[in-house]
Amino acid sequence: MTPLLQPAYRSEGLVAEADRCINLYHESVPGGYQLIGRPGLGVNRTLATGPIRGMHWPSKGDETLLVVSGNRLYEDAAGAPVDRGTLSTSTGPVVMIDNGLVMLLLTGSTCYSFDFITSSFSVVGDAEFRIARTGCFLDGYFLTVPSDNTGDFQISALYMNLPGAGWVATDTAKAESSPDRLMTIVSFNRQAWLLGLRSTEVWFNSGNALFPFERVEGSAVPVGCLSAYGAVATGRAVYWIGTSRDGSAGIYRAAGYGMPDRISTPRIERYFANLSTVLLDLTVASVYEEAGHTFVLFSAASVDRTWVYDETTDCWSEWRSLDGGSQDRFLGHFHQFVGATHYWGGGGTIGRLFQSVHAAPVHQDDGQTITRQRAASHPQEGTSATLWREYETLVDTGGTVAAPTIDLDWSDDGGHTFSTAVSRSAGSLTEKQKRVTWRRLGRAYDRIYRLTYAQNTRCTILAADLTAEPLAS
């Protein structure tokens, strides 16, 4: 199998442009992989203010979407957003959690509640509530992380139903394994994962009348969390941006107790190494499930990157969107699945709410063409030059555009510079699949090939093959 179809971002020694998979993801097939183009984003509606700072699908189960856009909370049912209240801040992520009766909105400064029965929006005015930045819901309780960096977490009354009430100042506990700052709490498998700056431990509901949560013995590990918003759970595992006490930032995965797996590659970790603690803390994690894949997205505003881990195939990719003519991070920083629709928000300064779109003519992001690209090194054994005779790929573009094209260029200096791209036909209205061939590609000692597809159609790379001949030294 040619390296083009193999997992990306595995080679540490290559420059950034030498091993990339942009707006494509790997699909396992017998004998290897195919590359599938991710869905586009179409504007569902635009809210009055922006940017989108958080979204939440209430546990009551109807098709209502709650959105914080700019300094406003909107309740959106059937495409008719209703302004429910004003926040004191206009930027920064907002954590939204509910217990079926009320929803908390945690900003790290002023915190708010929204009553599902009366649709009333108010500041959490309970004097015993500690201003919080993140939190979760578990077994009838809100568990929140106060913004004072003490390492404590606070719990609410059981199924509190009065906005602004239901808190006791002494209903707190401290992550005990390390005296570090508590960054966030993630609910997973009916347990609370307490992610500190330098350690992680798991708590469960023991039913103790004095304080219902206790630590699971043997669950503490010396791996911390660097982003209050960069931790998320799928149905299988908890993922977060973290670090051990002796290393740099990486992405971790844990499905049980014991040391978590470090799943980020050295290539990806280079980007995190250049970020300050403040910028890492603003990286947002989200989960998106579709077509048999579970994707975990990490959007870093400071470097305009969205890294995507496919839990199903154990492969990495980048999802990017055009903004002002240049490639930027993916427009969907926040995700919610409501009814039968995938909603996205968070890109730019306008309160645009997007939805995933698979069909033509919207293989685009907000009207902008999606550039799909795969670059891979093709090293040869020995020190002799190689005669590159033919590069062939089988693509499926759906037969919806009269004359789509696909480009191939290459680099002979490790990805620092690339040749002029050579375009070929990728099909027609009567050809849904097309075998595309480039011949007489010259000679080189080592070469990086790069395929680029930027058309308003679907794109699937079904197969790829390279014919090369080592030359005598």
Side-chain angles (χ1 to χ4, degrees):
M1 179 173 59
T2 175
L4 183 88
L5 298 179
Q6 293 176 0
Y9 307 99
R10 304 292 174 126
S11 300
E12 182 177 4
L14 298 175
V15 299
E17 297 299 325
D19 185 22
R20 305 185 75 177
C21 185
I22 301 174
N23 294 324
L24 297 160
Y25 63 88
H26 289 76
E27 176 77 43
S28 295
V29 296
Y33 298 97
Q34 296 176 349
L35 291 175
I36 313 293
R38 67 159 176 85
L41 295 181
V43 176
N44 181 277
R45 46 196 167 275
T46 300
L47 303 176
T49 59
I52 303 288
R53 303 169 59 195
M55 300 191 295
H56 184 68
W57 182 26
S59 56
K60 60 184 180 179
D62 61 16
E63 296 193 9
T64 298
L65 178 66
L66 289 155
V67 183
V68 174
S69 184
N71 67 340
R72 316 294 290 186
L73 171 67
Y74 294 94
E75 185 177 22
D76 194 328
V82 178
D83 189 338
R84 292 300 187 189
T86 303
L87 288 73
S88 62
T89 58
S90 299
T91 59
V94 177
V95 173
M96 305 163 72
I97 50 179
D98 81 84
N99 66 1
L101 302 170
V102 297
M103 178 180 70
L104 289 182
L105 296 88
L106 309 177
T107 70
S109 52
T110 306
C111 296
Y112 306 86
S113 62
F114 179 72
D115 190 315
F116 292 136
I117 305 300
T118 64
S119 296
S120 62
F121 175 79
S122 60
V123 173
V124 178
D126 192 324
E128 300 199 54
F129 172 74
R130 294 167 64 182
I131 299 298
R133 187 183 185 196
T134 63
C136 69
F137 171 81
L138 180 62
D139 285 355
Y141 298 90
F142 289 120
L143 287 72
T144 60
V145 180
S147 304
D148 54 16
N149 301 333
T150 59
D152 296 348
F153 68 95
Q154 185 176 20
I155 67 170
S156 68
L158 184 66
Y159 283 108
M160 55 172 279
N161 61 358
L162 295 175
W167 302 89
V168 176
T170 56
D171 277 345
T172 62
K174 186 181 292 290
E176 300 167 345
S177 65
S178 175
D180 55 344
R181 170 188 174 188
L182 184 59
M183 298 292 288
T184 190
I185 303 178
V186 176
S187 175
F188 176 66
N189 281 350
R190 290 195 61 200
Q191 294 180 321
W193 285 61
L194 276 61
L195 302 172
L197 189 60
R198 293 189 176 183
S199 66
T200 297
E201 57 188 66
V202 183
W203 287 51
F204 73 106
N205 185 351
S206 68
N208 188 305
L210 295 178
F211 192 83
F213 292 94
E214 298 180 29
R215 189 178 75 184
V216 176
E217 291 301 323
S219 66
V221 293
V223 174
C225 177
L226 295 174
S227 174
Y229 309 107
V232 70
T234 67
R236 296 180 181 179
V238 180
Y239 295 83
W240 70 94
I241 301 173
T243 182
S244 68
R245 299 183 182 184
D246 304 313
S248 58
I251 298 175
Y252 289 84
R253 174 185 61 198
Y257 313 136
M259 285 296 292
D261 297 321
R262 189 169 179 135
I263 61 170
S264 51
T265 69
R267 285 284 319 286
I268 293 173
E269 291 177 9
R270 287 183 187 176
Y271 289 94
F272 291 125
N274 294 325
L275 299 182
S276 66
T277 301
V278 173
L279 294 179
L280 276 171
D281 193 25
L282 294 175
T283 300
V284 176
S286 59
V287 177
Y288 166 51
E289 293 185 359
E290 191 161 10
H293 292 258
T294 300
F295 301 102
V296 186
L297 290 76
F298 297 89
S299 290
S302 51
V303 292
D304 291 334
R305 301 277 177 175
T306 298
W307 298 105
V308 182
Y309 175 74
D310 187 342
E311 186 179 66
T312 308
T313 61
D314 190 33
C315 293
W316 285 94
S317 60
E318 291 176 71
W319 290 7
R320 311 195 73 183
S321 301
L322 278 176
D323 185 16
S326 61
Q327 292 285 345
D328 202 342
R329 60 178 172 158
F330 183 51
L331 287 176
H333 310 163
F334 303 98
H335 170 260
Q336 281 292 322
F337 182 66
V338 181
T341 304
H342 290 280
Y343 291 101
W344 301 88
T349 58
I350 303 173
R352 292 173 296 182
L353 196 62
F354 301 101
Q355 67 183 69
S356 295
V357 181
H358 298 267
V362 193
H363 293 279
Q364 302 175 325
D365 288 341
D366 192 17
Q368 298 291 315
T369 299
I370 300 173
T371 299
R372 310 183 192 277
Q373 190 175 86
R374 177 70 174 104
S377 176
H378 294 70
Q380 301 297 303
E381 295 182 0
T383 58
S384 300
T386 298
L387 181 64
W388 305 93
R389 293 193 176 276
E390 181 179 278
Y391 202 107
E392 186 176 72
T393 183
L394 179 63
V395 298
D396 182 345
T397 58
T400 56
V401 172
T405 59
I406 189 168
D407 296 341
L408 178 74
D409 59 358
W410 53 87
S411 172
D412 292 333
D413 59 4
H416 294 280
T417 60
F418 280 80
S419 68
T420 301
V422 180
S423 294
R424 292 284 187 268
S425 169
S428 65
L429 290 175
T430 58
E431 283 184 297
K432 293 188 177 182
Q433 292 187 6
K434 173 79 172 181
R435 194 171 296 276
V436 186
T437 305
W438 293 264
R439 294 188 176 94
R440 303 174 68 177
L441 300 172
R443 65 180 67 192
Y445 287 94
D446 189 9
R447 179 163 285 179
I448 294 160
Y449 283 101
R450 185 170 65 180
L451 278 177
T452 303
Y453 186 81
Q455 305 283 326
N456 186 21
T457 72
R458 77 184 188 206
C459 175
T460 301
I461 301 176
L462 300 170
D465 192 28
L466 177 66
T467 302
E469 178 185 326
L471 298 175
S473 37

